[in-house]
Amino acid sequence: MEIIKSKDNVFIKKVVSLVENKRERTKNNTFVIEGIRFCREAVLSDVKVHAVLMTEEFVLKHPSEAEEFSKVSNIVKLISDAISKKISDTVNNQGVFFVCEMPKNPIELKGNKY
């Protein structure tokens, strides 16, 4: 598992651009999700996971989830807390992120919720 500590890493810059820029998400047909619950939902759904990023703290606190999440993609990277803060859309992130492919079929709306 590759360890990334630099915010200037090319891969991290791409992930940050996906988080910050809708045009990049549309152009690359990918998006970033974060947190145990959303990542677990992605594993259970038909979403294709391109990359998994986890902090060392996440791996230590949640070893079974870290092992499960490591199996969903060939690209698994360990990132620093500073990088997780740069990627995160929340104040206190859980230290786990997936880069996922956008579904090809539109999501069916049931009632007024997805």
Side-chain angles (χ1 to χ4, degrees), residues 37-79:
R37 188 173 126 233
F38 288 125
C39 291
R40 189 174 291 129
E41 288 295 324
V43 170
L44 297 173
S45 71
D46 291 335
V47 173
K48 181 176 181 186
V49 179
H50 289 283
V52 176
L53 295 89
M54 298 180 279
T55 62
E56 187 175 4
E57 183 179 351
F58 175 82
V59 173
L60 293 173
K61 281 186 176 179
H62 308 281
S64 61
E65 285 86 354
E67 184 177 339
E68 176 188 0
F69 294 164
S70 295
K71 295 176 184 176
V72 299
S73 176
N74 291 333
I75 302 171
V76 180
K77 301 187 183 286
L78 198 60
I79 58 174

Side-chain angles (χ1 to χ4, degrees), residues 7-23:
K7 294 179 187 177
D8 294 327
N9 179 284
V10 175
F11 181 78
I12 296 303
K13 285 183 175 183
K14 287 180 183 180
V15 173
V16 170
S17 72
L18 290 173
V19 171
E20 295 178 346
N21 191 329
K22 180 180 179 183
R23 185 176 299 145

Side-chain angles (χ1 to χ4, degrees), residues 1 5 22 24 28-29 44 49 62 64 91 107:
M1 182 180 331
K5 295 182 180 180
K22 180 180 179 183
E24 284 298 312
N28 292 296
N29 200 38
L44 297 173
V49 179
H62 308 281
S64 61
V91 176
I107 298 171

